Amino acid sequence: MGAGIALAAACSGFDVALVEVDAVTRERAGERLSRDAQKLGRADALTRIQSCSAISEVGAAELAIEAVPEEMALKQRVFLELERQLGAQAILATNTSSLSVRGIAEALAEPSRLLGLHFFNPPTVMKLVEVIRTDCTDDAVVDIGRAFVQALGKTAVLALDTPGFIVNRVARPYYLQALRAFDRDVGEFADLDALARGIGFRMGPFELMDLIGLDVNLATSESIFERTGAARLEPVPRQRKLVSEGKLGRKTGQGFYTYESGAQNARPDSGPPPAPPSNADEIVVVLGFGELADTVAEQLRGTYAHVQHLQNDEELDQLDGATTIVFDVGDGISDRSTTILEVETRVSEDAVIFVDAYATSVKALAEQIERPERMLGYGILGSLERQTIVEIVDAERTDDDALALSEELFATLGKKTMLVGEVPGLFLGRLVAAIVNEAVYAVQEDVASAGDIDVAMRLGTNYPLGPVAWGREIGGGRIARILSELAHAEGSEFGPARALWVLDPDADVTENMAEEKLRFQQSALYP
């Protein structure tokens, strides 16, 4: 990381002194610098990097960035030496990803000159830098830190000195909820990875943990949990077990996946399913209103000859008794059990009823409905266009013909399907909802603005959307519904954040909430 930061600065025209006290490590850093500079076509930048074996060799410097191992005492010793050796004008910055910047600064005579500049690996490629201010960091120091980041051609986001800052904190649910879902037999980890990629994540959570290193990922989770005490962020025993067994991912050849010659033994994603032929046999009814219902009805008409769209429950008396497929969308928030029970009485015995499993408990409904084998729970989180794969509840009572029909119907919509276990939120629901929830907590706690959080998660983790923007697309009410069901099943700590409702632009505002909503709006929650 230190070599990468040095090269990024040198490529931007800065003169750099790279200090490494260990001779072997210094030699390896030099080799890496040469290799990376060649890849970038910037061998000229190497002439601006001076290799040093001690801080005393540096001479004058305007900015010192520390990138030593994540040990508080070690970092404090380094900064004490920097403070002694460098002039009073020099700004001091730590690249820590998990320690308290304020805690590091407490060792200094002038803690106001220290801030956090958290780069992402590799620094020459990643465009994000988190600029961390403490309660004692001088404003001018923060401004210079941001200007330096911009001079590197990177994007600076400002965050308070809180556990995990922006990226490492908001990303925790991506790993923790995936691990919990795996423990609850929602699906095999390769299938869960495929689902995550199918909704826009560049890598699934399990392959990403293997890439990062399960030990490194666990250490970050443990640090954030210890400093926050938030039960929703508590590490999962399965990961601790793998680490204790030395199964750390790619670097040991075994993690969740097995690696041979550096290759991952995982099932590759296939393209979209082939479109089914035109169908004049099925009689399809789409029930619900809004963009999703309109899109589903329109696309189904491209294959099915008989498609009826009923926009509200008051139109149920218009249901054709010969209907063979009912695709219920509802409003995305309300439990639809009562409506589904009525629908069942109005259609043929062979009709298959599709139910939004994020809003309605398929398990509870199966105990009430007369033909549970003909009911299918599905999960479409927000925009249908954004998903290439849809999770389908693999309920014990569902018959194979109904499952085959679900595959055909979603192929008509251009989507693959994946069977998942019958749990609240399924997999994608709990995964994305928990990420959105953590982002809202971070805004609520003034960790960073909503705009900076969205930028940080897109640039720092390659999320398809910033979590706040994603939450607005899905809807605060829908996110809250998923998390409420999850909390009912697994504990109140997984419930919705108090401020989630502000994700809905038309949410009712009481007098005591008006100030909070205004703060969110000013925090770039709304475009």
Side-chain angles (χ1 to χ4, degrees):
M1 179 62 84
I5 296 172
L7 183 56
C11 285
S12 297
F14 290 93
D15 292 324
V16 183
L18 179 59
V19 179
E20 174 52 64
V21 298
D22 182 79
V24 175
T25 305
R26 187 165 59 253
E27 182 179 354
R28 289 176 179 170
E31 292 171 354
R32 175 172 178 173
L33 280 170
S34 297
R35 183 175 64 250
D36 290 353
Q38 291 294 335
K39 287 181 180 178
L40 294 170
R42 293 300 308 272
D44 62 298
L46 296 177
T47 63
R48 288 190 284 274
I49 301 177
Q50 172 193 359
S51 180
C52 304
S53 60
I55 293 173
S56 58
E57 299 177 13
V58 170
E62 296 173 286
L63 171 65
I65 303 173
E66 163 274 314
V68 303
E70 294 288 270
E71 301 171 18
M72 178 66 78
L74 174 60
K75 289 181 184 288
Q76 288 181 331
R77 289 199 302 272
V78 168
F79 279 113
L80 282 170
E81 181 68 13
L82 286 167
E83 192 175 40
R84 283 193 294 268
Q85 295 289 338
L86 301 183
Q89 84 290 344
I91 291 173
L92 308 179
T94 174
N95 184 57
T96 184
S97 61
S98 61
L99 299 179
S100 165
V101 177
R102 182 67 168 88
I104 296 170
E106 286 175 355
L108 300 177
E110 295 182 44
S112 63
R113 68 194 291 194
L114 187 140
L115 81 163
L117 291 180
H118 181 215
F119 287 76
F120 290 79
N121 214 7
T124 52
V125 175
M126 298 297 284
K127 293 298 185 182
L128 180 73
V129 179
E130 292 177 317
V131 178
I132 316 301
R133 68 177 306 154
T134 73
D135 56 358
C136 65
T137 308
D138 188 278
D139 288 344
V141 169
V142 174
D143 291 342
I144 293 171
R146 295 177 78 171
F148 171 71
V149 170
Q150 291 165 358
L152 298 185
K154 300 186 182 300
T155 299
V157 292
L158 185 63
L160 290 185
D161 181 25
T162 55
F165 312 135
I166 298 172
V167 172
N168 277 329
R169 173 179 171 175
V170 176
R172 282 310 96 196
Y174 190 59
Y175 311 110
L176 297 175
Q177 283 297 338
L179 287 162
R180 293 186 180 106
F182 184 38
D183 280 347
R184 285 150 184 74
D185 295 322
V186 176
E188 295 297 324
F189 58 81
D191 289 342
L192 301 182
D193 274 349
L195 277 166
R197 293 192 298 269
I199 203 169
F201 292 103
R202 187 164 296 182
M203 296 182 73
F206 298 97
E207 58 183 343
L208 185 53
M209 282 187 277
D210 272 5
L211 178 65
I212 294 169
L214 270 71
D215 54 338
V216 174
N217 183 270
L218 176 61
T220 302
S221 293
E222 288 178 330
S223 174
I224 293 173
F225 174 60
E226 287 169 5
R227 293 177 61 197
T228 62
R232 69 184 182 277
L233 300 176
E234 183 176 6
V236 176
R238 180 185 292 272
Q239 189 175 8
R240 287 196 175 106
K241 182 175 184 295
L242 287 170
V243 171
S244 70
E245 294 171 350
K247 298 175 181 178
L248 309 181
R250 284 181 180 268
K251 59 187 175 185
T252 61
Q254 176 70 57
F256 289 100
Y257 295 94
T258 299
Y259 299 86
E260 296 177 359
S261 303
Q264 176 181 322
N265 295 336
R267 183 177 61 201
D269 295 327
S270 58
S278 298
N279 188 315
D281 297 326
E282 305 284 2
I283 299 176
V284 183
V285 171
V286 177
L287 181 58
F289 64 91
E291 182 179 349
L292 177 58
D294 293 342
T295 300
V296 169
E298 180 182 353
Q299 292 190 16
L300 290 181
R301 288 190 178 103
T303 296
Y304 295 99
H306 309 290
V307 177
Q308 183 182 21
H309 183 189
L310 304 181
Q311 299 204 24
N312 58 69
D313 295 350
E314 285 71 33
E315 298 177 354
L316 286 181
D317 57 357
Q318 300 177 31
L319 263 175
D320 187 333
T323 295
T324 58
I325 299 175
V326 176
F327 194 98
D328 187 67
V329 176
D331 61 6
I333 300 172
S334 306
D335 182 288
R336 299 286 291 166
S337 297
T338 301
T339 299
I340 298 303
L341 290 172
E342 182 178 351
V343 165
E344 187 186 33
T345 67
R346 294 175 177 268
V347 296
S348 70
E349 291 187 357
D350 293 330
V352 175
I353 303 175
F354 287 81
V355 181
D356 175 10
Y358 295 149
T360 301
S361 170
V362 175
K363 187 173 184 178
L365 182 55
E367 299 299 324
Q368 306 173 61
I369 202 166
E370 288 187 14
R371 297 181 293 279
E373 71 278 3
R374 306 296 288 173
M375 179 182 66
L376 276 166
Y378 70 89
I380 298 175
L381 202 50
S383 166
L384 178 63
E385 181 182 2
R386 195 172 302 287
Q387 291 186 230
T388 63
I389 191 168
V390 174
E391 45 190 348
I392 300 292
V393 177
D394 188 13
E396 184 176 346
R397 302 191 202 182
T398 306
D399 66 33
D400 291 343
D401 288 343
L403 290 173
L405 180 63
S406 73
E407 192 172 344
E408 176 188 297
L409 184 137
F410 281 104
T412 297
L413 300 175
K415 312 300 175 185
K416 295 174 289 186
T417 58
M418 181 76 74
L419 297 180
V420 295
E422 196 174 8
V423 296
L426 309 186
F427 176 64
L428 293 177
R430 70 160 59 202
L431 194 75
V432 176
I435 292 169
V436 172
N437 206 41
E438 202 59 44
V440 170
Y441 271 123
V443 178
Q444 185 178 319
E445 296 166 13
D446 292 322
V447 173
S449 71
D452 274 1
I453 288 173
D454 276 357
V455 169
M457 300 312 291
R458 284 191 294 103
L459 296 183
T461 59
N462 291 307
Y463 282 10
L465 275 179
V468 177
W470 210 346
R472 289 185 64 243
E473 179 183 279
I474 297 167
R478 185 160 173 78
I479 295 288
R481 174 73 186 182
I482 293 170
L483 293 172
S484 294
E485 292 298 311
L486 184 63
H488 181 73
E490 300 191 11
S492 60
E493 62 269 24
F494 298 106
R498 176 175 55 87
L500 248 180
W501 60 273
V502 302
L503 295 174
D504 293 322
D506 298 328
D508 293 332
V509 182
T510 61
E511 185 175 348
N512 63 335
M513 291 179 175
E515 183 177 344
E516 181 180 1
K517 184 164 186 177
L518 177 62
R519 182 168 64 82
F520 269 79
Q521 290 171 326
Q522 293 172 339
S523 186
L525 181 63
Y526 301 105

